Amino acid sequence: MSGRDVADERERAVAAPPPADAGLVFIGLARTPWKSRMDCPRMGRPDGPLCRLEIFEPWTEALRTIALYERLEVLYWLHRSRRDLVLQSPRGGGEARGTFALRSPVRPNPIGSSIVRLIAVEEGALLVRGMDCLDETPLIDIKPDRCLYKPAGPPHPGDLQMESDATGRPVF
Amino acid sequence: MSGRDVADERERAVAAPPPADAGLVFIGLARTPWKSRMDCPRMGRPDGPLCRLEIFEPWTEALRTIALYERLEVLYWLHRSRRDLVLQSPRGGGEARGTFALRSPVRPNPIGSSIVRLIAVEEGALLVRGMDCLDETPLIDIKPDRCLYKPAGPPHPGDLQMESDATGRPVF
């Protein structure tokens, strides 16, 4: 189920509820040079190896105009990760950390995210640098990097909203 | 189903496959000041209103040590978005764009991501700034911002890997 198979005594697994709150459709898969978890980089780098994001039908048309953006955010499904650890220990030792304080692939919803450089657009595929996942990892989303993106369409009232009220306290 | 109800003639909907490739569990919900899509900011801002990320059991223990990070990446499920558009037109007019060239909530897997500032840690909850979603949006993941994160544990061989080979071409 996972690259890290056994929880040690500092780690904690929970009885996770069934993952039935929403369903994902895989929109494609990532072709990368890495065939085992231990070979993968722990985080992608912008000068990393060229990888191909292959998009399945009926989604290829959703790539139209993507060349406008030189950096993209990619979400993928870490399909070999266990999902029930709330505390995890680094392999090299050290204090156990909460799963939400880690970017480990082991998490309740094992979604990885990378910021990648778009190198080329092919028919139904993208060549990118910056991935860090196993070859044939399923893709779930691609979108422009937030820093490069200006929303289209008219402004919303919330766009410039800052403090919730004069006290700075939540209003909900 | 969506804040944008009708596709105009420049938009394109597809017969989307059933979203049955993987299942999500909601780990909590976001409390925000926004009750309608038109009120939401189109993108969060670091000085935006204070919002609360409320974590469900059995996941609250996964928040341990999260105060180490002043910025977090939050993934949430845009539960009111349609999922079948591959081309979308800005409401104000303009060329239709591919869904993967937009950060619109309308996408095959309607996952939103924000980078938020962590303001305070409460019992089973986080106070943050930088969200942009409706009140009561389900949460699916929280992790440290990639720019602040140093992976724990020993290095992997791929960490420093750059070109795939001398030609710079993919090796898969």
Side-chain angles (χ1 to χ4, degrees):
Chain A
M1 284 295 288
S2 162
R4 55 182 12 264
D5 296 317
V6 183
D8 73 18
E9 70 285 353
R10 295 166 303 169
E11 299 196 320
R12 179 129 54 238
V14 293
D21 290 326
L24 297 176
V25 58
F26 296 155
I27 57 149
L29 54 79
R31 302 304 317 273
T32 79
W34 304 297
K35 308 296 184 190
S36 83
R37 270 283 304 280
M38 283 307 295
D39 290 336
C40 289
R42 294 172 301 172
M43 296 219 292
R45 43 188 296 158
D47 55 359
L50 210 51
C51 296
R52 180 180 284 114
L53 308 181
E54 298 178 351
I55 306 303
F56 301 148
E57 292 301 345
W59 308 113
T60 55
E61 199 168 10
L63 294 174
R64 193 192 292 181
T65 68
I66 202 163
L68 289 169
Y69 298 98
E70 63 186 28
R71 281 199 314 276
L72 303 170
E73 181 177 344
V74 182
L75 302 182
Y76 37 98
W77 187 251
L78 301 161
H79 54 305
R80 290 165 62 177
S81 297
R82 62 187 289 179
R83 303 176 65 168
D84 61 342
L85 291 191
V86 290
L87 295 180
Q88 301 179 50
S89 296
R91 278 199 180 276
E95 184 199 10
R97 292 201 186 176
T99 291
F100 298 143
L102 292 166
R103 294 183 66 92
S104 159
V106 172
R107 43 206 323 114
N109 295 300
I111 296 172
S113 74
S114 286
I115 301 295
V116 302
R117 287 168 56 208
L118 177 59
I119 305 300
V121 180
E122 298 182 338
E123 182 76 24
L126 305 176
L127 289 182
V128 303
R129 298 187 191 276
M131 296 294 289
D132 57 14
C133 62
L134 284 172
D135 191 30
E136 304 196 344
T137 295
L139 298 174
I140 54 183
D141 205 3
I142 299 171
K143 46 186 134 194
D145 179 82
R146 74 188 72 248
C147 303
L148 302 177
Y149 190 67
K150 296 279 183 297
H156 283 193
D159 286 351
L160 300 177
Q161 192 172 342
M162 292 191 285
E163 297 296 345
S164 304
D165 65 11
T167 69
R169 302 180 69 82
V171 296
F172 37 81
Chain B
M1 282 296 288
S2 162
R4 52 177 20 263
D5 298 316
V6 182
D8 74 18
E9 71 284 354
R10 295 166 304 167
E11 300 196 319
R12 179 131 54 239
V14 293
D21 291 326
L24 297 175
V25 57
F26 295 155
I27 58 149
L29 54 78
R31 301 304 315 275
T32 80
W34 304 296
K35 308 296 183 190
S36 83
R37 270 284 304 282
M38 282 308 293
D39 290 336
C40 289
R42 294 171 302 173
M43 295 220 293
R45 41 188 297 159
D47 55 0
L50 210 52
C51 296
R52 180 180 284 113
L53 307 182
E54 298 178 351
I55 307 303
F56 302 147
E57 293 299 348
W59 308 113
T60 56
E61 199 168 10
L63 294 175
R64 195 193 288 183
T65 67
I66 202 162
L68 289 169
Y69 298 98
E70 63 186 30
R71 281 199 315 274
L72 302 169
E73 182 176 344
V74 182
L75 302 182
Y76 37 97
W77 187 251
L78 301 161
H79 55 305
R80 291 165 61 177
S81 297
R82 63 187 290 179
R83 304 176 64 168
D84 61 342
L85 291 192
V86 290
L87 295 180
Q88 301 178 49
S89 297
R91 278 199 180 276
E95 185 198 8
R97 292 199 186 177
T99 292
F100 298 142
L102 292 167
R103 293 184 66 91
S104 158
V106 172
R107 42 207 321 115
N109 295 299
I111 296 172
S113 75
S114 285
I115 301 295
V116 302
R117 287 168 56 209
L118 177 58
I119 306 299
V121 180
E122 298 182 338
E123 182 75 24
L126 305 175
L127 289 182
V128 303
R129 298 186 191 278
M131 296 293 290
D132 58 13
C133 62
L134 283 172
D135 192 30
E136 305 197 342
T137 294
L139 297 174
I140 55 183
D141 205 4
I142 298 172
K143 47 186 133 193
D145 179 80
R146 76 189 70 247
C147 303
L148 303 177
Y149 191 69
K150 295 281 183 295
H156 283 191
D159 287 349
L160 300 177
Q161 192 172 342
M162 292 190 286
E163 296 297 345
S164 304
D165 67 10
T167 67
R169 302 179 70 83
V171 296
F172 36 81

